[in-house]
Amino acid sequence: MEIESNFIKTIMEEDLASGKVEEIVTRFPPEPNAYLHIGHARAIITNFELAKQFGGRTNLRFDDTNPVKEDSSFVEAIKEDIQWLGYEPANIFFGSDYFEITYDYAIKLIKKNLAYVCDLSQEEMRDYRGTLTEPGKDSPYRNRTVEENLQLFEEMKAGKFGDGEKTLRAKIDMSHPNMNMRDPVLYRIIHIYHHNTGDKWCIYPMYDFAHPLQDAIEGVTHSLCSLEYDDHRILYDWVVEKCETPHVPHQYEFGRLNITNTIMSKRYLKQLVDKNLVRGYDDPRMPTLTGLRRRGYTKDAIKDFVLGTGLSRINSTVSSEMLENSVRNDLNYKVKRVNAVLEPLKVVITNYPEDQVEWLDAPYNKDNEAMGNRKVAFGRNLFIEREDFVEEKPNKKWKRLALGIEVRLMYAYFITCNEVKYDDFGNIVELQCTYDPKTKSGSGFDERKPNGTIHFVEATTSKRATFNLFEPLMIDSDSKRDLEDRLNPNSWSELEGFVEKAIEDTHPLERFQFIRKGYFSTDYDSSSEGLVFNRICELKSSFK
Ligand code: ATP
Ligand code: MG
């Protein structure tokens, strides 16, 4: 699947045609402070696919210039997610690799009298900044000489000052209509250990200064980011122009991708994990790529979904149904369709011999013959889904089992229910049925029509399994309400049932269609002692 035309692709085509650029170079710049979520997938897929379509390249750059929030454990996880999506970065860089050269550019700005060391505290700076309707005031330190600034900046670097005591600021315009241009901070002092550079630095560049320089250094032609950076573009261009970088990159913004009933901000996802409201970043309910992977989503489904949402300069919220449809389309012909009984009800075939089991032929996927056949067991003791039986057939639409009614067991025989057994509390515990040998699947029997077809497993050969079923993690998307009030209490339920023997050797992330029950994926915790399956989604959309 290719990227359809969108405004960024058009810009790239024009830039190549006009000779403005020779090659398309993009980058994906995550902060290594969290796991990637499906919103990030839009940025990843857009950057990599566009570059690929034009024969260009894409770097992965860890934006690790803020030492306070980062943790190198996220680096590996992010690499793994990108690889899983099927992309190989041309280079892997770290923003911190450029600390030296970024520092040199800062010196250059000071020498051009375009940057100065400021002693205002954060609060004072805010007061001086003005508002959207009022201009700001010049800092009293704005007119320091170049020599003084060079000296002080050197001392900042050498560790002479404490956190927040001084900053390096760009000298632009305190009455600029765009607040980002009112002498933005370029460097701040933070005495903290950095995961990459250790204790070498105690001054760190701000995103708005570091990012354009990183793009310039790497030769990035089209620096794509989400819409909230829109009003930072003017500063991006200022930095590139005033630093006179040999290469001139350009920033383009696209809308963020959101999904209904899904929280996509890192901060919230971290809260869910830290407060143990979920079972980790790879909890199958999480919108993280690692969570979606564990749930059973395929990379093709995610790509299809992201590309299907298109790309525009508007933030969009897409129904989670669309993501489910993508995975259904991807798995429909690809996976084995087998029997699983999630909520078992015991059935005894009273006219079938004790201690006998026969094996019947059944295709793995009737719409994909290449997948071959399996053997399905039939015997005296079976399980069917509890919901496939009612004592009294309620109406004509009921195409399942009832007392005195005959149904087809898929790929086996017709059975009729003759008697119901109860426990002391009046719960149904067993059905006594008879089968008709003449109705064997494949025999061509057509003297009677059964009241529908249901699935089953044979009791002595099937394997015990746990089925994890999911609903959306969040009940509503109203971000004003407290996180914990918005959680869906039914987002995870567990059922204990059985799967047919044919898939007893399954391995984690193998995907199946459990006939009539949905698409499932084998969980990491599954073992031969206890099979565990995660439901990816139901077979049909439950969208109303
Ligand atoms: P969050 O806002 O979820 O905390 P972020 O934007 O701070 O995420 P980064 O690590 O900075 O996370 O993101 C890397 C890239 O991914 C950025 O270019 C960002 O614009 C993009 N990105 C993040 N979330 C989305 C989203 N929901 N839709 C599209 N792009 C996104
Ligand atoms: Mg960010």
Side-chain angles (χ1 to χ4, degrees), residues 27-33 36-44 47 63 207 224-229 254-258 264-267:
R27 88 287 169 264
F28 174 64
E31 262 185 272
N33 61 357
L36 300 178
H37 51 62
I38 180 132
H40 289 112
R42 171 180 274 183
I44 296 170
N47 276 298
D63 175 14
Y207 175 89
L224 313 183
C225 61
S226 41
L227 214 50
E228 69 272 19
Y229 295 104
F254 57 80
R256 285 175 89 90
L257 172 65
N258 296 300
M264 213 98 89
S265 123
K266 280 176 184 173
R267 202 162 56 85

Side-chain angles (χ1 to χ4, degrees), residues 180 262 281 293 366 435 463:
N180 293 314
T262 309
Y281 279 103
R293 184 155 72 235
K366 68 177 168 52
Y435 86 115
K463 299 290 155 192

Side-chain angles (χ1 to χ4, degrees), residues 9 24 44 260 295 363 399 412 489:
K9 189 175 174 187
I24 301 295
I44 296 170
T260 51
R295 172 89 166 245
K399 290 293 173 201

Side-chain angles (χ1 to χ4, degrees), residues 491-505:
S491 62
W492 184 314
S493 45
E494 257 175 62
L495 297 175
E496 298 291 333
F498 300 91
V499 295
E500 64 175 271
K501 186 175 168 60
I503 64 162
E504 66 182 339
D505 293 326

Side-chain angles (χ1 to χ4, degrees), residues 308-487:
T309 63
L311 192 71
S312 74
R313 286 198 89 247
I314 304 172
N315 293 333
S316 53
T317 301
V318 177
S319 163
S320 54
E321 275 297 310
M322 237 184 105
L323 181 58
E324 290 190 357
N325 274 333
S326 292
V327 80
R328 281 188 200 104
N329 288 339
D330 186 35
L331 296 182
N332 188 15
Y333 299 105
K334 271 192 199 165
V335 298
K336 293 173 178 173
R337 300 177 186 172
V338 293
N339 289 331
V341 173
L342 277 52
E343 291 177 275
L345 173 59
K346 194 173 176 206
V347 170
V348 176
I349 307 295
T350 51
N351 61 341
Y352 198 87
E354 306 239 17
D355 301 327
Q356 185 182 318
V357 169
E358 66 184 291
W359 295 88
L360 304 153
D361 269 327
Y364 266 123
N365 183 329
K366 68 177 168 52
D367 296 320
N368 181 354
E369 277 177 26
M371 296 195 74
N373 283 341
R374 68 197 203 266
K375 296 280 187 192
V376 169
F378 181 81
R380 185 177 167 92
N381 296 297
L382 313 175
F383 293 114
I384 63 166
E385 292 286 351
R386 200 158 273 279
E387 65 177 16
D388 282 342
F389 176 77
V390 288
E391 279 173 87
E392 205 170 320
K393 184 174 169 174
N395 53 44
K396 278 210 312 230
K397 288 205 199 107
W398 180 258
K399 290 293 173 201
R400 302 185 234 175
L401 194 58
L403 197 54
I405 295 288
E406 184 174 54
V407 295
R408 183 202 317 271
L409 293 183
M410 194 177 286
Y411 302 123
Y413 296 94
F414 292 8
I415 62 164
T416 304
C417 180
N418 309 307
E419 196 186 328
V420 182
K421 291 205 161 170
Y422 306 88
D423 66 12
D424 295 342
F425 307 99
N427 301 312
I428 298 174
V429 290
E430 186 183 308
L431 305 180
Q432 303 246 313
C433 301
T434 44
Y435 86 115
D436 180 351
K438 291 199 302 294
T439 62
K440 185 171 176 175
S441 172
S443 66
F445 177 86
D446 64 357
E447 287 164 30
R448 302 189 300 277
K449 261 181 104 61
N451 185 51
T453 302
I454 63 174
H455 69 280
F456 74 102
V457 294
E458 194 279 325
T460 63
T461 55
S462 61
K463 299 290 155 192
R464 278 191 167 280
T466 302
F467 304 94
N468 296 323
L469 308 188
F470 309 108
E471 285 182 18
L473 201 49
M474 310 308 294
I475 286 174
D476 71 87
S477 315
D478 178 5
S479 57
K480 282 177 226 57
R481 288 180 59 200
D482 239 28
L483 183 69
E484 279 167 65
D485 297 339
R486 295 162 58 197
L487 285 176

